[in-house]
């Protein structure tokens, strides 16, 4: 059934990520996001990449890296092949790149799409999970107070913006 959803605004998060990387001077960006992960967020990660291409001042070229097999050797080979300066992904890919011999940030930049609360060790997007939790409680309490139970007649999505974490 379609339910009410309180979550991160993944499309705007990707745009924020790309704007920050552009501002930092990166030009060749590799993005290692599985199709499954993108599908779970309504293809918003790739949608954010597509939308950002049309933003004024955007100079980045984003190459989708092969993350289908979760094989670090494939990603490492593509990073070299496409002369990627920074990889956008999640912590497991960061660890895989390090295991393949990349020194981060000396050899390769890395931008995490799901930073733990204000990490001083990684740059990337903090999805504001605490605020998402607060909003979820507000929604649940207000539904309870109105006597709304079960499947909603008109489901909604409440989307919370992310913050850039410089690391």
């Amino acid at each position: 059934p379609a339910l009410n959803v309180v979550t991160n605004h993944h499309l705007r998060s990707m745009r924020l990520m790309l704007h920050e990387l552009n501002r930092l001077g990166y030009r060749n960006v590799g993005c290692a996001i599985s199709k499954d992960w993108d599908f779970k967020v309504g293809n918003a990660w790739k949608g954010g990449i597509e939308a950002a291409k049309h933003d004024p001042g955007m100079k980045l070229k984003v190459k989708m890296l092969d993350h289908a097999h979760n094989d670090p050797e494939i990603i490492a080979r593509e990073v070299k092949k496409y002369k990627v300066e920074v990889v956008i992904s999640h912590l497991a890919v960061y660890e895989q790149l390090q295991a393949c011999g990349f020194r981060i940030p000396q050899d390769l930049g890395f931008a995490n799409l799901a930073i733990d609360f204000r990490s001083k060790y990684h740059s990337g997007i903090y999805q504001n999970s605490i605020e998402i939790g607060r909003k979820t409680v507000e929604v649940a309490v207000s539904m309870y107070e109105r006597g709304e139970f079960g499947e909603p007649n008109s489901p909604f999505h409440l989307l919370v913006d992310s913050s850039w974490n410089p690391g």
Side-chain angles (χ1 to χ4, degrees):
L3 301 174
N4 296 331
V5 175
V6 181
T7 190
N8 177 257
H9 198 312
H10 297 95
L11 187 141
R12 287 174 56 107
S13 295
M14 180 59 81
R15 288 180 82 173
L16 173 62
M17 171 82 78
L18 294 173
H19 280 272
E20 288 297 328
L21 295 176
N22 189 64
R23 183 185 61 78
L24 291 168
Y26 290 105
R27 295 299 173 253
N28 291 322
V29 178
C31 189
I33 297 174
S34 70
K35 288 180 182 177
D36 289 346
W37 190 23
D38 195 40
F39 180 76
K40 287 178 186 175
V41 299
N43 299 304
W45 292 129
K46 289 182 184 170
I49 293 169
E50 189 59 35
K53 287 180 186 178
H54 307 286
D55 291 346
M58 187 58 66
K59 299 175 184 173
L60 298 174
K61 290 188 302 185
V62 180
K63 173 67 180 164
M64 295 306 294
L65 304 176
D66 185 349
H67 189 46
H69 304 98
N70 200 24
D71 184 338
E73 295 298 326
I74 292 174
I75 295 173
R77 190 168 46 247
E78 289 189 339
V79 164
K80 292 174 186 172
K81 177 181 177 180
Y82 299 115
K83 298 182 172 112
V84 170
E85 299 168 318
V86 60
V87 172
I88 296 172
S89 195
H90 51 84
L91 194 55
V93 171
Y94 172 87
E95 292 166 351
Q96 291 171 351
L97 290 167
Q98 285 186 315
C100 288
F102 288 100
R103 295 174 306 146
I104 299 170
Q106 297 88 343
D107 301 330
L108 180 67
F110 187 83
N112 193 334
L113 282 168
I115 292 282
D116 290 334
F117 184 73
R118 298 292 181 205
S119 169
K120 63 181 180 178
Y121 302 107
H122 297 109
S123 298
I125 294 299
Y126 172 59
Q127 294 187 14
N128 287 321
S129 56
I130 293 172
E131 186 62 22
I132 290 169
R134 282 188 191 118
K135 295 294 182 191
T136 301
V137 169
E138 288 175 17
V139 166
V141 168
S142 67
M143 288 172 63
Y144 176 79
E145 288 174 344
R146 290 190 303 270
E148 296 177 12
F149 300 97
E151 191 173 339
N153 292 331
S154 181
F156 64 83
H157 285 72
L158 190 152
L159 304 175
V160 177
D161 281 337
S162 292
S163 306
W164 174 253
N165 185 66

mmCIF file of all heavy atoms in Angstrom, residues 7 13 23 37 43-44 52 54 56 58 63 65 80 83 95-96 100 106 110 114 124 127 136-137 140 144 152 157:
data_model
loop_
_atom_site.group_PDB
_atom_site.id
_atom_site.type_symbol
_atom_site.label_atom_id
_atom_site.label_comp_id
_atom_site.label_asym_id
_atom_site.label_seq_id
_atom_site.Cartn_x
_atom_site.Cartn_y
_atom_site.Cartn_z
ATOM 1 N N THR A 7 11.401 11.437 4.594
ATOM 2 C CA THR A 7 12.734 10.976 4.226
ATOM 3 C C THR A 7 13.578 12.142 3.740
ATOM 4 O O THR A 7 13.143 13.290 3.705
ATOM 5 C CB THR A 7 12.646 9.862 3.144
ATOM 6 O OG1 THR A 7 13.933 9.269 2.980
ATOM 7 C CG2 THR A 7 12.144 10.410 1.820
ATOM 8 N N SER A 13 19.797 16.533 -2.565
ATOM 9 C CA SER A 13 21.066 16.163 -1.926
ATOM 10 C C SER A 13 22.158 15.970 -2.968
ATOM 11 O O SER A 13 23.295 16.424 -2.794
ATOM 12 C CB SER A 13 20.905 14.884 -1.105
ATOM 13 O OG SER A 13 20.033 15.101 -0.027
ATOM 14 N N ARG A 23 32.279 23.746 -6.803
ATOM 15 C CA ARG A 23 32.871 24.900 -6.112
ATOM 16 C C ARG A 23 34.305 24.602 -5.681
ATOM 17 O O ARG A 23 35.177 25.476 -5.719
ATOM 18 C CB ARG A 23 32.018 25.260 -4.886
ATOM 19 C CG ARG A 23 32.483 26.499 -4.123
ATOM 20 C CD ARG A 23 31.659 26.712 -2.866
ATOM 21 N NE ARG A 23 31.758 25.613 -1.923
ATOM 22 C CZ ARG A 23 32.790 25.388 -1.100
ATOM 23 N NH1 ARG A 23 33.846 26.183 -1.117
ATOM 24 N NH2 ARG A 23 32.782 24.370 -0.269
ATOM 25 N N TRP A 37 19.978 0.855 -5.280
ATOM 26 C CA TRP A 37 19.935 1.961 -4.321
ATOM 27 C C TRP A 37 19.228 3.157 -4.944
ATOM 28 O O TRP A 37 18.400 3.806 -4.310
ATOM 29 C CB TRP A 37 21.338 2.315 -3.853
ATOM 30 C CG TRP A 37 21.386 3.276 -2.700
ATOM 31 C CD1 TRP A 37 20.402 3.521 -1.784
ATOM 32 C CD2 TRP A 37 22.465 4.124 -2.348
ATOM 33 N NE1 TRP A 37 20.815 4.465 -0.865
ATOM 34 C CE2 TRP A 37 22.088 4.844 -1.195
ATOM 35 C CE3 TRP A 37 23.730 4.337 -2.872
ATOM 36 C CZ2 TRP A 37 22.918 5.772 -0.581
ATOM 37 C CZ3 TRP A 37 24.558 5.252 -2.250
ATOM 38 C CH2 TRP A 37 24.155 5.967 -1.119
ATOM 39 N N ASN A 43 14.885 6.848 -8.159
ATOM 40 C CA ASN A 43 15.866 7.299 -9.155
ATOM 41 C C ASN A 43 16.274 8.756 -8.946
ATOM 42 O O ASN A 43 16.657 9.448 -9.886
ATOM 43 C CB ASN A 43 15.357 7.071 -10.581
ATOM 44 C CG ASN A 43 15.103 5.601 -10.835
ATOM 45 O OD1 ASN A 43 15.990 4.772 -10.662
ATOM 46 N ND2 ASN A 43 13.881 5.269 -11.200
ATOM 47 N N ALA A 44 16.205 9.193 -7.701
ATOM 48 C CA ALA A 44 16.511 10.588 -7.388
ATOM 49 C C ALA A 44 17.998 10.899 -7.436
ATOM 50 O O ALA A 44 18.378 12.039 -7.723
ATOM 51 C CB ALA A 44 15.947 10.956 -6.014
ATOM 52 N N ALA A 52 21.377 18.758 -12.312
ATOM 53 C CA ALA A 52 22.515 19.646 -12.058
ATOM 54 C C ALA A 52 23.271 19.992 -13.339
ATOM 55 O O ALA A 52 23.913 21.042 -13.412
ATOM 56 C CB ALA A 52 23.458 19.003 -11.045
ATOM 57 N N HIS A 54 22.218 21.159 -15.919
ATOM 58 C CA HIS A 54 21.650 22.359 -16.515
ATOM 59 C C HIS A 54 21.779 23.591 -15.620
ATOM 60 O O HIS A 54 21.305 24.662 -15.982
ATOM 61 C CB HIS A 54 20.174 22.107 -16.859
ATOM 62 C CG HIS A 54 19.984 20.877 -17.684
ATOM 63 N ND1 HIS A 54 20.320 20.801 -19.015
ATOM 64 C CD2 HIS A 54 19.534 19.639 -17.350
ATOM 65 C CE1 HIS A 54 20.078 19.587 -19.475
ATOM 66 N NE2 HIS A 54 19.585 18.864 -18.486
ATOM 67 N N PRO A 56 23.432 26.817 -13.891
ATOM 68 C CA PRO A 56 24.447 27.795 -14.309
ATOM 69 C C PRO A 56 25.769 27.576 -13.572
ATOM 70 O O PRO A 56 25.782 27.313 -12.376
ATOM 71 C CB PRO A 56 23.831 29.141 -13.905
ATOM 72 C CG PRO A 56 22.380 28.884 -13.739
ATOM 73 C CD PRO A 56 22.241 27.444 -13.336
ATOM 74 N N MET A 58 27.830 25.116 -13.769
ATOM 75 C CA MET A 58 28.209 23.726 -13.521
ATOM 76 C C MET A 58 29.213 23.289 -14.591
ATOM 77 O O MET A 58 28.910 23.307 -15.777
ATOM 78 C CB MET A 58 26.976 22.826 -13.536
ATOM 79 C CG MET A 58 27.249 21.393 -13.126
ATOM 80 S SD MET A 58 27.962 21.178 -11.479
ATOM 81 C CE MET A 58 26.622 21.728 -10.436
ATOM 82 N N LYS A 63 30.537 10.674 -14.559
ATOM 83 C CA LYS A 63 30.534 9.358 -15.189
ATOM 84 C C LYS A 63 30.003 8.350 -14.177
ATOM 85 O O LYS A 63 30.491 8.264 -13.049
ATOM 86 C CB LYS A 63 31.964 8.981 -15.610
ATOM 87 C CG LYS A 63 32.123 7.586 -16.125
ATOM 88 C CD LYS A 63 31.417 7.390 -17.433
ATOM 89 C CE LYS A 63 31.613 5.961 -17.917
ATOM 90 N NZ LYS A 63 30.698 5.583 -18.947
ATOM 91 N N LEU A 65 29.959 4.961 -12.630
ATOM 92 C CA LEU A 65 30.900 3.844 -12.554
ATOM 93 C C LEU A 65 30.136 2.542 -12.370
ATOM 94 O O LEU A 65 29.068 2.520 -11.771
ATOM 95 C CB LEU A 65 31.875 4.065 -11.397
ATOM 96 C CG LEU A 65 32.666 5.376 -11.435
ATOM 97 C CD1 LEU A 65 33.513 5.519 -10.186
ATOM 98 C CD2 LEU A 65 33.514 5.467 -12.689
ATOM 99 N N LYS A 80 40.626 4.924 -12.998
ATOM 100 C CA LYS A 80 41.845 5.208 -13.775
ATOM 101 C C LYS A 80 41.512 5.498 -15.234
ATOM 102 O O LYS A 80 42.026 6.457 -15.818
ATOM 103 C CB LYS A 80 42.808 4.025 -13.670
ATOM 104 C CG LYS A 80 43.374 3.847 -12.279
ATOM 105 C CD LYS A 80 44.202 2.576 -12.178
ATOM 106 C CE LYS A 80 44.643 2.342 -10.738
ATOM 107 N NZ LYS A 80 45.280 1.036 -10.565
ATOM 108 N N LYS A 83 39.928 8.891 -15.639
ATOM 109 C CA LYS A 83 40.681 9.963 -14.958
ATOM 110 C C LYS A 83 39.810 10.704 -13.944
ATOM 111 O O LYS A 83 39.767 11.934 -13.896
ATOM 112 C CB LYS A 83 41.289 10.918 -15.981
ATOM 113 C CG LYS A 83 42.278 10.236 -16.900
ATOM 114 C CD LYS A 83 42.887 11.207 -17.870
ATOM 115 C CE LYS A 83 43.991 10.513 -18.614
ATOM 116 N NZ LYS A 83 43.779 10.276 -19.988
ATOM 117 N N GLU A 95 36.043 2.318 1.343
ATOM 118 C CA GLU A 95 36.930 1.270 1.867
ATOM 119 C C GLU A 95 37.476 0.393 0.745
ATOM 120 O O GLU A 95 38.646 -0.006 0.769
ATOM 121 C CB GLU A 95 36.185 0.434 2.905
ATOM 122 C CG GLU A 95 35.866 1.233 4.159
ATOM 123 C CD GLU A 95 34.852 0.576 5.076
ATOM 124 O OE1 GLU A 95 34.237 -0.444 4.688
ATOM 125 O OE2 GLU A 95 34.657 1.108 6.191
ATOM 126 N N GLN A 96 36.670 0.104 -0.265
ATOM 127 C CA GLN A 96 37.128 -0.696 -1.400
ATOM 128 C C GLN A 96 38.222 0.039 -2.183
ATOM 129 O O GLN A 96 39.206 -0.575 -2.599
ATOM 130 C CB GLN A 96 35.957 -1.028 -2.324
ATOM 131 C CG GLN A 96 34.968 -1.995 -1.717
ATOM 132 C CD GLN A 96 33.709 -2.137 -2.547
ATOM 133 O OE1 GLN A 96 33.468 -1.398 -3.502
ATOM 134 N NE2 GLN A 96 32.880 -3.105 -2.184
ATOM 135 N N CYS A 100 42.175 -1.027 -2.803
ATOM 136 C CA CYS A 100 42.781 -1.115 -4.143
ATOM 137 C C CYS A 100 44.018 -0.237 -4.271
ATOM 138 O O CYS A 100 44.619 -0.154 -5.342
ATOM 139 C CB CYS A 100 41.766 -0.716 -5.205
ATOM 140 S SG CYS A 100 40.479 -1.949 -5.462
ATOM 141 N N GLN A 106 44.773 12.068 -0.996
ATOM 142 C CA GLN A 106 45.965 12.410 -1.760
ATOM 143 C C GLN A 106 45.857 12.044 -3.245
ATOM 144 O O GLN A 106 46.214 12.834 -4.118
ATOM 145 C CB GLN A 106 47.213 11.728 -1.156
ATOM 146 C CG GLN A 106 47.532 12.176 0.240
ATOM 147 C CD GLN A 106 46.812 11.361 1.303
ATOM 148 O OE1 GLN A 106 45.842 10.658 1.033
ATOM 149 N NE2 GLN A 106 47.295 11.466 2.540
ATOM 150 N N PHE A 110 36.940 11.753 -2.312
ATOM 151 C CA PHE A 110 35.778 10.905 -2.073
ATOM 152 C C PHE A 110 34.709 11.733 -1.380
ATOM 153 O O PHE A 110 34.985 12.436 -0.403
ATOM 154 C CB PHE A 110 36.131 9.696 -1.202
ATOM 155 C CG PHE A 110 34.994 8.727 -1.079
ATOM 156 C CD1 PHE A 110 34.780 7.776 -2.064
ATOM 157 C CD2 PHE A 110 34.108 8.803 -0.016
ATOM 158 C CE1 PHE A 110 33.701 6.902 -1.990
ATOM 159 C CE2 PHE A 110 33.033 7.936 0.074
ATOM 160 C CZ PHE A 110 32.834 6.976 -0.914
ATOM 161 N N ALA A 114 26.094 9.588 2.428
ATOM 162 C CA ALA A 114 25.382 9.319 3.685
ATOM 163 C C ALA A 114 26.362 9.419 4.853
ATOM 164 O O ALA A 114 26.730 8.419 5.460
ATOM 165 C CB ALA A 114 24.723 7.944 3.641
ATOM 166 N N GLY A 124 30.999 15.140 2.484
ATOM 167 C CA GLY A 124 29.824 14.646 1.788
ATOM 168 C C GLY A 124 28.538 15.196 2.357
ATOM 169 O O GLY A 124 28.500 16.254 2.982
ATOM 170 N N GLN A 127 22.466 13.651 5.703
ATOM 171 C CA GLN A 127 21.058 13.625 5.320
ATOM 172 C C GLN A 127 20.106 14.107 6.411
ATOM 173 O O GLN A 127 18.898 14.025 6.267
ATOM 174 C CB GLN A 127 20.674 12.216 4.856
ATOM 175 C CG GLN A 127 21.386 11.815 3.586
ATOM 176 C CD GLN A 127 20.889 10.501 3.030
ATOM 177 O OE1 GLN A 127 19.849 9.973 3.420
ATOM 178 N NE2 GLN A 127 21.642 9.941 2.098
ATOM 179 N N THR A 136 9.177 12.876 11.501
ATOM 180 C CA THR A 136 8.398 11.635 11.514
ATOM 181 C C THR A 136 7.516 11.575 12.759
ATOM 182 O O THR A 136 6.336 11.214 12.678
ATOM 183 C CB THR A 136 9.337 10.415 11.451
ATOM 184 O OG1 THR A 136 10.122 10.504 10.253
ATOM 185 C CG2 THR A 136 8.567 9.121 11.468
ATOM 186 N N VAL A 137 8.072 11.942 13.910
ATOM 187 C CA VAL A 137 7.295 11.946 15.148
ATOM 188 C C VAL A 137 6.162 12.967 15.046
ATOM 189 O O VAL A 137 5.018 12.674 15.421
ATOM 190 C CB VAL A 137 8.201 12.221 16.371
ATOM 191 C CG1 VAL A 137 7.377 12.486 17.621
ATOM 192 C CG2 VAL A 137 9.162 11.058 16.584
ATOM 193 N N ALA A 140 3.456 11.500 12.849
ATOM 194 C CA ALA A 140 2.740 10.399 13.515
ATOM 195 C C ALA A 140 1.805 10.921 14.604
ATOM 196 O O ALA A 140 0.653 10.475 14.713
ATOM 197 C CB ALA A 140 3.740 9.400 14.096
ATOM 198 N N TYR A 144 -2.282 10.715 14.661
ATOM 199 C CA TYR A 144 -2.960 10.103 15.806
ATOM 200 C C TYR A 144 -4.027 11.055 16.365
ATOM 201 O O TYR A 144 -5.159 10.647 16.632
ATOM 202 C CB TYR A 144 -1.942 9.737 16.882
ATOM 203 C CG TYR A 144 -2.564 9.193 18.134
ATOM 204 C CD1 TYR A 144 -2.990 7.870 18.198
ATOM 205 C CD2 TYR A 144 -2.730 9.997 19.249
ATOM 206 C CE1 TYR A 144 -3.575 7.369 19.346
ATOM 207 C CE2 TYR A 144 -3.315 9.505 20.403
ATOM 208 C CZ TYR A 144 -3.730 8.181 20.449
ATOM 209 O OH TYR A 144 -4.301 7.696 21.593
ATOM 210 N N PRO A 152 -3.486 5.722 4.052
ATOM 211 C CA PRO A 152 -4.012 7.078 3.838
ATOM 212 C C PRO A 152 -4.749 7.199 2.499
ATOM 213 O O PRO A 152 -4.410 6.521 1.530
ATOM 214 C CB PRO A 152 -2.752 7.951 3.835
ATOM 215 C CG PRO A 152 -1.634 7.037 3.515
ATOM 216 C CD PRO A 152 -2.030 5.663 3.988
ATOM 217 N N HIS A 157 4.666 12.757 0.706
ATOM 218 C CA HIS A 157 6.092 12.651 0.996
ATOM 219 C C HIS A 157 6.539 13.973 1.598
ATOM 220 O O HIS A 157 6.339 15.021 0.975
ATOM 221 C CB HIS A 157 6.903 12.395 -0.276
ATOM 222 C CG HIS A 157 6.799 11.002 -0.783
ATOM 223 N ND1 HIS A 157 5.656 10.504 -1.383
ATOM 224 C CD2 HIS A 157 7.689 9.985 -0.767
ATOM 225 C CE1 HIS A 157 5.862 9.250 -1.730
ATOM 226 N NE2 HIS A 157 7.081 8.909 -1.365
#
